[in-house]
Amino acid sequence: MSENSQDESLQRGLKNRHIQLIALGGAIGTGLFYGSTKAIQIAGPAVMLSYLIGGIIIFWIMRHMGEMLVDEPVSGSFSHFAYKYWGDFPGFLSGWNYWIAYVLVNMAELTVVGKYVQFWWPDIPVWVTALVCWAFLTGINLIHVKLYGEFEFWFAIIKVVAIIGMIVFGTMILLNGQAGASSGVGNLWNYGGFFPNGLEGFLCSLAIVMFAYGGTELIGVTAGEADNPKKTIPMAINQVMWRILIFYVGALLIILMIYPWNQLGAGGAEGSPFVQIFSKIGISSAAALLNVVVITAALSAYNSGLYSNGRMLYNLAQQGNAPSMFKKLNKGGVPVVGVLFSSFLMGLVVFLNYLIESQVFTYLMALVVSADIISWVMISVSHMKFRQAKIAEGAKIEFPAVWYPVTNYICIGFLAMIFAVMWYLGEDWRISMYLTPIWLVILWIGYKCKPQAKQARILNDNEMNEIMLKE
């Protein structure tokens, strides 16, 4: 089977506007709207530098991935490139690890939706909200990729407009004094300095910050259903950097100037810092509106994760690395079995929130960061293998990555440091360090036990031509 025939089964129903907003939506989610509270508590105003550095690393990784995608725009890109250019087990590991990462991400998203709803109705248990949202979004993902694209388009529009509106509105109340006496640019250094918890706090915040960037690589999964991937993918990836500057650094700058960093989340208060600041300064209407937005952001991230997982299982089945039932498509071109299987596992978080609601989000965040680190390392290493193969072929690179291979090694070293930071953060984070090797062993056993695929590797057109010439 050629790589082209692999993707013809999926319908290229995602237009340029869908791809651009899906990429944008992947970069704006729970990590910013909810997880940033924990990062602010650890790093103080230096959290802005954490998001900037983490964003640069992610941008470089996206460029590594983008170079491969423009050359071969296929579905399930992480697994495909690791499988083709690195080896059978790396492809198996990459695909299944990314799949479990998004299962965990979506469990976290369902959890925080419930916490956001409690802003209005504190008596509604988190698990009830999670159950309703789980059922609704599963139904959306079973219909047609165009419907997913439309939902994600409007979800992302809401997030973008809201953050820009928050920045503009926040700037206005800062200038006219409505934010109160405790506001001002002095908040960036008046409460212990820009690095109130020193270099230690700054480094520890990086682990939480990297959770926020999980999902930016989603654009790689959309390649198999984009109608003009060679144009839309470079555009979307190149815009990652300014999005980070505006939506992460810019938004946090306004938040930290409106309200002292050491009072956000004080007393165990939960919820989004975006909502907390307006609630604390008495602008309840703005707080309520932003709560709608952060709920939308969480639903958007869940929607994208379920979409991604169905396609990843489809790609793994194409390789022979997952049961063939995951190749089944419905009339809308949706890998229905993969979506349903992923959704079933994601739905287990309903029971987790029923049993241990207070600890669920922290545990899931730690596990997600570990799984994301593995995926990002796989992307950078696969890219180096890919580039070596292209150099050997004398092929032209249409969308070359930034400073290859220097950025590859910098990214891998940075991600290794994040693992060390996670160990230092304490027992809640160390659980992921204990489980990661177990997970890798499980994947190795699964790889060894799987039936050998009739087709050991997906051949590209050049390989097919070489075989025909030899015959």
Side-chain angles (χ1 to χ4, degrees):
M1 180 185 297
S2 72
E3 66 190 34
N4 291 334
S5 65
Q6 171 193 341
D7 290 320
E8 286 171 359
S9 298
L10 294 173
Q11 298 183 14
R12 293 190 177 272
L14 296 178
K15 306 298 183 184
N16 178 54
R17 65 185 179 91
H18 295 138
I19 298 295
Q20 299 301 318
L21 269 296
I22 287 170
L24 183 53
I28 305 172
T30 298
L32 174 63
F33 286 122
Y34 186 82
S36 55
T37 299
K38 295 180 181 295
I40 291 170
Q41 290 171 343
I42 292 174
V47 72
M48 294 185 292
L49 184 59
S50 300
Y51 275 99
L52 179 59
I53 292 174
I56 292 171
I57 295 295
I58 288 298
F59 174 67
W60 285 343
I61 293 173
M62 292 304 96
R63 286 298 299 263
H64 299 158
M65 184 180 68
E67 178 179 314
M68 298 186 288
L69 285 174
V70 170
D71 191 79
E72 300 177 32
V74 297
S75 179
S77 60
F78 317 102
S79 177
H80 169 82
F81 294 118
Y83 188 72
K84 182 173 179 179
Y85 293 99
W86 192 351
D88 293 351
F89 178 63
F92 182 91
L93 186 154
S94 180
W96 280 105
N97 180 74
Y98 189 70
W99 174 81
I100 197 66
Y102 248 124
V103 168
L104 295 169
V105 165
N106 276 8
M107 286 182 167
E109 301 297 347
L110 287 180
T111 298
V112 298
V113 167
K115 293 184 182 296
Y116 293 155
V117 168
Q118 287 179 337
F119 175 77
W120 294 304
W121 301 290
D123 294 331
I124 296 181
V126 170
W127 70 267
V128 172
T129 305
L131 179 62
V132 172
C133 295
W134 170 77
F136 173 71
L137 291 174
T138 298
I140 294 299
N141 271 270
L142 291 174
I143 299 175
H144 195 285
V145 67
K146 287 184 178 179
L147 184 60
Y148 158 76
E150 285 300 319
F151 263 84
E152 195 55 33
F153 176 82
W154 290 107
F155 277 157
I157 286 285
I158 291 171
K159 288 189 284 187
V160 171
V161 171
I163 293 182
I164 293 175
M166 192 280 295
I167 292 173
V168 172
F169 182 65
T171 302
M172 289 173 58
I173 64 174
L174 280 168
L175 294 175
N176 64 22
Q178 191 178 353
S182 63
S183 66
V185 70
N187 283 351
L188 301 180
W189 56 78
N190 283 342
Y191 299 91
F194 188 73
F195 291 90
N197 295 319
L199 183 62
E200 176 186 350
F202 167 70
L203 291 176
C204 287
S205 71
L206 287 170
I208 299 173
V209 163
M210 295 314 290
F211 171 79
Y213 289 123
T216 50
E217 70 286 337
L218 175 64
I219 188 173
V221 183
T222 68
E225 291 166 286
D227 64 352
N228 189 7
K230 291 184 181 293
K231 177 183 177 182
T232 56
I233 289 172
M235 288 175 59
I237 289 176
N238 281 334
Q239 291 171 5
V240 167
M241 200 65 236
W242 69 259
R243 289 169 183 157
I244 289 167
L245 290 172
I246 294 175
F247 297 113
Y248 280 83
V249 181
L252 288 171
L253 174 64
I254 297 299
I255 284 178
L256 294 171
M257 287 196 296
I258 289 177
Y259 209 75
W261 70 269
N262 57 354
Q263 296 181 40
L264 286 172
E270 293 195 78
S272 169
F274 291 78
V275 177
Q276 286 184 47
I277 57 168
F278 289 107
S279 180
K280 287 177 179 292
I281 64 177
I283 308 178
S284 58
S285 58
L289 180 60
L290 278 171
N291 203 52
V292 173
V293 173
V294 296
I295 289 174
T296 301
L299 295 178
S300 167
Y302 184 92
N303 193 39
S304 295
L306 188 54
Y307 164 86
S308 172
N309 272 3
R311 275 66 183 175
M312 186 57 73
L313 289 178
Y314 172 82
N315 184 258
L316 286 166
Q318 289 281 344
Q319 298 168 359
N321 284 327
S324 59
M325 65 179 180
F326 292 125
K327 291 190 287 187
K328 180 177 176 58
L329 305 176
N330 64 14
K331 293 181 180 180
V334 175
V336 60
V337 179
V339 169
L340 286 173
F341 179 66
S342 300
S343 178
F344 169 75
L345 292 181
M346 294 167 186
L348 294 179
V349 79
V350 173
F351 299 101
L352 288 176
N353 276 294
Y354 179 76
L355 297 173
I356 51 170
E357 177 182 324
S358 63
Q359 299 165 291
V360 170
F361 183 77
T362 299
Y363 288 156
L364 288 173
M365 183 163 58
L367 291 170
V368 167
V369 173
S370 292
D372 279 341
I373 286 173
I374 294 172
S375 292
W376 292 329
V377 169
M378 298 292 287
I379 290 172
S380 286
V381 175
S382 297
H383 170 252
M384 289 193 287
K385 302 284 187 183
F386 168 89
R387 177 66 76 89
Q388 291 164 6
K390 294 302 175 181
I391 291 173
E393 294 173 9
K396 179 184 177 182
I397 303 297
E398 296 183 51
F399 185 49
V402 179
W403 301 333
Y404 161 87
V406 175
T407 55
N408 298 73
Y409 291 117
I410 292 175
C411 291
I412 293 169
F414 177 86
L415 294 171
M417 182 199 71
I418 296 299
F419 261 129
V421 168
M422 290 171 65
W423 180 266
Y424 187 77
L425 276 172
E427 198 62 33
D428 287 350
W429 284 79
R430 286 178 192 166
I431 187 172
S432 69
M433 307 300 289
Y434 302 142
L435 294 177
T436 296
I438 297 174
W439 168 238
L440 294 176
V441 170
I442 290 172
L443 287 178
W444 174 252
I445 294 172
Y447 172 73
K448 286 298 184 181
C449 293
K450 77 179 182 72
Q452 292 301 311
K454 295 180 181 179
Q455 177 186 336
R457 190 175 298 278
I458 299 173
L459 301 177
N460 63 27
D461 292 338
N462 291 331
E463 291 171 324
M464 292 292 289
N465 290 336
E466 289 175 8
I467 293 173
M468 293 174 66
L469 287 174
K470 289 179 180 177
E471 293 177 345

